[in-house]
Amino acid sequence: MTTAASRQPAAGPAEPVVRTAAGAVRGRREDGLAVFRGVPFAEPPVGEARFAAPRPARAWDGTREAYSFGPPPPQEAGIQGRTGVLNAPTGDDWLTVNVWTPDPDPAARRPVMVWIYGGAYKLGHSGSPGYDARLIAREGDLVVVTFNYRVGIEGFARIEGAPANRGLLDQVAALEWVRENIAAFGGDPDQVTVFGESAGAGSIASLLAMPRAAGLFRRAIAQSVPGTFFSDELARDIAAAIAAEAGLRPTVADLTTVDPRQLTEAGAALGAKMRTHEERWGPVVHTLTPFSPVVDGDVLPTTPWRALASGTARDVELIAGHNREEYRLFVGLGGQLGKITEEAAAAALRRFGPGPDGERAYRAAFPEASPGEWYERVQTDWLFSMPSLHLAEAQVAGGGRVYVYELTWPAPGNGGVLGACHGLDIPLLFGTFGADLGMLLFDGAGPSPEAEALSSRFRTSWTAFAATGDPGWPAFDGERRLTQVLDTDPLVTGYPEETSRRLWEGHEFPALPLIR
């Protein structure tokens, strides 16, 4: 079969050369793998291309060195331990991919896993040390791709004269690059699995609902799906407020007058005072970000839950899951562990609980909880665990196949006080205990034998799913709700958070509205 890309003979055992549709790239041999970094999948989105949909990368002559990660997209300062973008390269060539492959042989046709990073839709860089994919590629004997996409104002602000969800369109373009080129790196374009965490999982949920992404991947793994999706009206109002911070209108004409790296300051300025807009924007002002995918009716026609329930993604095999104490990370980073008052807990229960009686329902369901436990539980449920569960339930309702997990093993760092918090699955999956978030959650120390064992189990399950569609535990259904609990002694049981599931039963996660 003829493909859009074919491999050139390698320059030598240490420097493999692959020909992509745009030109040849030279990588390096590392730990038994061929690794290619910083390969453009689209033109730099600057100048006339600023705020536009991604455009295919221009062809180049000769052989391009693919030794270094491309520069991260413009973004504000990150949460400690989340991005690892300090000392990253600079430049405008943000839209690049990286490939780890056991052997760039077109005849190999190995399964392909494509990682989509998180970061509240405003942070992230595929070159972060925590996303080093060598263990996944080597142990799973498959090809792993990571890539950059636009975040923050460049990627998600709802700007007049620009398409919505440009960050998601970048992701589609990267997946199109994979379809056209991955065979040359030894991958099978018909066996692509997307996987991602937090905003990366929200992006995957969006891709499952997007007509433009149909057919670009066969399987998906969504780790801790955020429930925040914006209505078009809300997104436009937030964009107007961001632009006003820079003294501008939310238009392409105005915003292109400001350097992309300086424009991030406007988003950061608004983020610092979002709560003053609660009467118009509602609970989103209590999150970490003024950005989310926008249900604009075009790029993203509807919410992922509605799309999956209607059968849109029934042909895509799915893993969806979450961590037990998701929100504790943010309480810890804010220095609030052990300091949540009854007043703060009551406000959170009223604000985030399902329906008009959310506070009463949570107090009745968890009568022995402390204010801190109520505060964390309702925000864990609203922001991550129930959106993830409901995505699985929607996939079942739409006739698809889905596997559900919950991570309950506590992070050992900081005396174990963070529990199975948000983001713990990243160092466990990648085995990057001493990088980025792993530094915080593991105190920068080497992993214990039980951490190593759980890390290996993550990779074994994820790569088996990418290769076969079976992660090693039973599929989820609406009756038994079998769930893989990931802990020191993993087990399969009914969905562990049954109390919360019942509280949220029948709740729809709609696009968040503008409150007029």
Side-chain angles (χ1 to χ4, degrees), residues 54-382:
R55 302 173 182 180
R58 295 174 187 167
W60 58 83
D61 296 325
T63 300
R64 181 183 181 118
E65 291 184 350
Y67 298 159
S68 302
F69 292 111
Q75 55 196 267
E76 58 191 81
I79 303 169
Q80 180 183 3
R82 285 292 289 148
T83 65
V85 299
L86 295 178
N87 301 320
T90 59
D92 296 331
D93 208 358
W94 316 324
L95 302 182
T96 58
V97 301
N98 319 294
V99 182
W100 287 258
T101 177
D103 182 17
D105 179 357
R109 298 188 72 83
R110 287 178 168 85
V112 180
M113 297 187 72
V114 181
W115 172 253
I116 303 178
Y117 55 72
Y121 304 106
K122 66 178 182 178
L123 306 169
H125 174 216
S126 63
S128 294
Y131 304 146
D132 187 319
R134 71 184 67 189
L135 290 180
I136 298 174
R138 189 170 64 232
E139 294 177 10
D141 191 31
L142 43 68
V143 179
V144 181
V145 178
T146 69
F147 64 88
N148 288 346
Y149 63 93
R150 283 172 285 182
V151 295
I153 296 171
E154 302 296 319
F156 289 96
R158 191 67 171 103
I159 299 169
E160 183 180 334
N165 300 306
R166 296 171 299 281
L168 298 179
L169 293 176
D170 292 345
Q171 295 169 18
V172 170
L175 289 168
E176 290 173 339
W177 183 94
V178 169
R179 180 182 60 192
E180 295 168 3
N181 294 284
I182 206 62
F185 293 86
D188 184 350
D190 296 323
Q191 286 266 67
V192 174
T193 298
V194 291
F195 66 125
E197 181 266 352
S198 196
S203 296
I204 288 170
S206 301
L207 293 169
L208 289 166
M210 288 170 57
R212 289 170 172 83
L216 292 177
F217 53 92
R218 182 174 179 178
R219 300 183 178 106
I221 304 174
Q223 304 169 210
S224 303
V225 180
T228 52
F229 283 70
F230 292 171
S231 66
D232 202 50
E233 295 77 15
L234 175 62
R236 289 181 184 276
D237 205 62
I238 292 174
I242 293 172
E245 292 292 332
L248 302 170
R249 298 170 300 168
T251 66
V252 169
D254 273 23
L255 296 178
T256 51
T257 64
V258 182
D259 182 274
R261 293 162 189 83
Q262 295 177 349
L263 193 56
T264 61
E265 297 172 4
L270 177 68
K273 55 184 180 183
M274 280 180 63
R275 296 191 182 189
T276 62
H277 297 268
E278 185 168 11
E279 290 186 1
R280 290 178 64 79
W281 299 347
V284 70
V285 306
H286 295 274
T287 68
L288 295 172
T289 178
F291 306 104
S292 280
V294 181
V295 181
D296 66 311
D298 176 23
V299 176
L300 184 58
T302 187
T303 63
W305 300 275
R306 283 193 172 184
L308 267 62
S310 71
T312 296
R314 66 165 60 95
D315 294 331
V316 178
E317 294 163 318
L318 175 65
I319 291 177
H322 57 83
N323 305 344
R324 184 171 58 191
E325 289 99 10
E326 294 271 7
Y327 202 74
R328 190 169 299 175
L329 174 69
F330 307 109
V331 178
L333 289 175
Q336 294 300 304
L337 285 175
K339 301 178 182 179
I340 301 300
T341 64
E342 167 62 29
E343 181 182 20
L349 291 170
R350 290 192 298 271
R351 186 177 295 122
F352 301 110
D357 297 321
E359 180 183 6
R360 179 196 59 78
Y362 262 85
R363 290 183 182 275
F366 300 98
E368 304 301 321
S370 66
E373 290 168 340
W374 278 320
Y375 183 86
E376 290 179 22
R377 181 75 264 164
V378 71
Q379 294 192 78
T380 287
D381 287 346
W382 175 77

